[in-house]
Amino acid sequence: MDTSLSRTNSSRLQVSEFLLLGFPGIHKWQHWFSLPLALLYLLALGANLLILITVQHEPTLHQPMFQLLGILAVVDIGLATTVMPKILAILCFKDKAISLPECFAQIYAIHSFMCMESGIFLCMAVDRYVAICYPLQYPSIITEAFVVKVTLSMLLRNGLLTIPVPVLAAQRHYCSRNEIDHCLCSNLGVTSLACDDITINKFYQLALAWFVFGSDMGLVFASYALIIRSVLRLNSAEATSKALSTCSSHLILILFFYTAIIVVSVTHLAGRRFPFIPVLLNVLHSVIPPALNPMVYALRTQELRVGFQRVLGLDENMSRN
């Protein structure tokens, strides 16, 4: 009688919050990570806000390529802001508790922004493909209407496809453990605490990764394969150099983004032995690309550098000197 009652009561137990413990294995001195992570976060916010202001302020940058860059800046700000404030609260103030709805909302936001970033990279690859392979048709194909349509399509695709991730996680039963050895609410990290079967969660996570990142990555590299083939057919070395320089910064960021995703996935699979490494890489992948993207474009795009100088008033000071 007592045994059946305890089973009934335990089966109805549901934790009310999760505890994000931070970096596994180094909890005692993980607060030292707060300063570099805070600086990276501030850099990501400042650099991407500068991109947005410059693209909006400078009429010469009202072109599809720079408009896509502005959308990428918004996505980067959203991705970094989704995770970094809570991570800094854990490291600085030991504010480890997070409610279940907040945790599932973070799972959704992380997946949506990551998929959106991949989608924007695909749109930018298509932009460069048309610009180099079909330069005469570029103004009629890549228009402001094109940018609006592809942005809305990416929002719709990623917004809908990522909804099942937190919904399936919320349907699991969390009856005992609530401590997550991580700095953020990762889907598999949360569902691993569930008392019931999570096979469908793992399956959908894998299917989403293959469908979104796999298809985007395949199309991006197919676009660049066609670009390289077209560039190699150019007779002029100067024309070849100019064509490659127009997409070099984009290609650098694409290679970094997808390489980082592959590395994070591989280290996650091997994370049982060194759990600190996949957690650190997962955190860095949420803040380094948002901080890196504007810097790469600023260093390698002359129009953007000139726009920065005008927005910051540096061109006036240089002309006076």
Side-chain angles (χ1 to χ4, degrees):
M1 187 83 173
D2 294 339
T3 304
S4 62
L5 182 62
S6 64
R7 286 178 179 172
T8 304
N9 289 337
S10 64
S11 65
R12 292 177 181 176
L13 281 176
Q14 176 80 357
V15 299
S16 59
E17 63 181 16
F18 293 121
L19 296 178
L20 295 169
L21 301 181
F23 295 104
I26 60 167
H27 296 151
K28 292 182 180 180
W29 52 278
Q30 63 182 1
H31 59 277
W32 292 105
F33 283 92
S34 59
L35 181 58
L37 289 177
L39 292 176
L40 279 173
Y41 178 51
L42 291 175
L43 176 62
L45 288 182
N48 284 289
L49 285 173
L50 183 59
I51 289 270
L52 287 173
I53 294 171
T54 304
V55 171
Q56 180 66 28
H57 183 267
E58 288 298 312
T60 57
L61 299 181
H62 294 174
Q63 304 173 30
M65 181 178 73
F66 296 108
Q67 290 169 345
L68 289 171
L69 181 58
I71 297 169
L72 179 64
V74 173
V75 173
D76 283 338
I77 291 173
L79 176 61
T81 304
T82 295
V83 298
M84 288 310 300
K86 184 59 181 178
I87 292 174
L88 294 175
I90 295 170
L91 300 180
C92 297
F93 309 109
K94 298 183 179 180
D95 183 15
K96 301 177 181 180
I98 183 171
S99 67
L100 269 65
E102 289 175 342
C103 191
F104 299 140
Q106 189 182 69
I107 290 175
Y108 176 73
I110 291 172
H111 281 76
S112 296
F113 283 124
M114 290 289 291
C115 293
M116 189 66 189
E117 186 154 0
S118 177
I120 295 300
F121 279 138
L122 173 59
C123 296
M124 295 171 83
V126 172
D127 171 81
R128 292 299 86 197
Y129 166 71
V130 177
I132 293 175
C133 297
Y134 302 96
L136 298 179
Q137 291 85 2
Y138 179 82
S140 60
I141 297 175
I142 308 298
T143 61
E144 289 189 4
F146 171 83
V147 174
V148 172
K149 289 177 182 178
V150 296
T151 302
L152 291 177
S153 65
M154 286 298 127
L155 282 171
L156 188 63
R157 181 197 75 167
N158 302 324
L160 293 178
L161 288 178
T162 53
I163 286 176
V165 178
V167 170
L168 289 171
Q171 289 179 344
R172 302 281 69 82
H173 184 61
Y174 305 94
C175 60
S176 55
R177 297 180 299 154
N178 70 336
E179 293 184 342
I180 305 173
D181 229 2
H182 209 304
C183 296
L184 50 87
C185 287
S186 66
N187 180 41
L188 296 181
V190 171
T191 54
S192 64
L193 302 179
C195 300
D196 47 357
D197 186 42
I198 62 169
T199 302
I200 188 172
N201 300 74
K202 293 181 177 179
F203 174 79
Y204 192 83
Q205 177 86 14
L206 183 62
L208 180 67
W210 275 106
F211 180 76
V212 174
F213 294 112
S215 61
D216 286 354
M217 185 165 55
L219 291 172
V220 164
F221 287 113
S223 299
Y224 271 95
L226 294 173
I227 288 173
I228 292 173
R229 187 185 69 173
S230 177
V231 167
L232 291 177
R233 291 179 177 178
L234 297 175
N235 296 325
S236 171
E238 183 180 352
T240 301
S241 176
K242 185 177 179 180
L244 290 176
S245 66
T246 61
C247 56
S248 59
S249 55
H250 180 227
L251 184 59
I252 290 171
L253 296 180
I254 284 176
L255 290 173
F256 180 81
F257 179 76
Y258 288 114
T259 302
I261 287 180
I262 294 172
V263 171
V264 169
S265 302
V266 171
T267 53
H268 178 78
L269 295 174
R272 292 182 179 179
R273 196 170 178 186
F274 303 103
F276 166 76
I277 295 177
V279 172
L280 177 62
L281 291 177
N282 207 339
V283 171
L284 293 178
H285 191 240
S286 301
V287 69
I288 286 184
L292 181 68
N293 293 348
M295 295 174 64
V296 171
Y297 271 100
L299 290 173
R300 301 188 65 86
T301 309
Q302 183 178 359
E303 298 94 332
L304 203 56
R305 289 199 303 271
V306 173
F308 286 161
Q309 291 174 0
R310 289 176 180 172
V311 169
L312 297 175
L314 298 177
D315 59 335
E316 297 179 2
N317 296 332
M318 292 174 66
S319 61
R320 289 173 185 174
N321 295 334

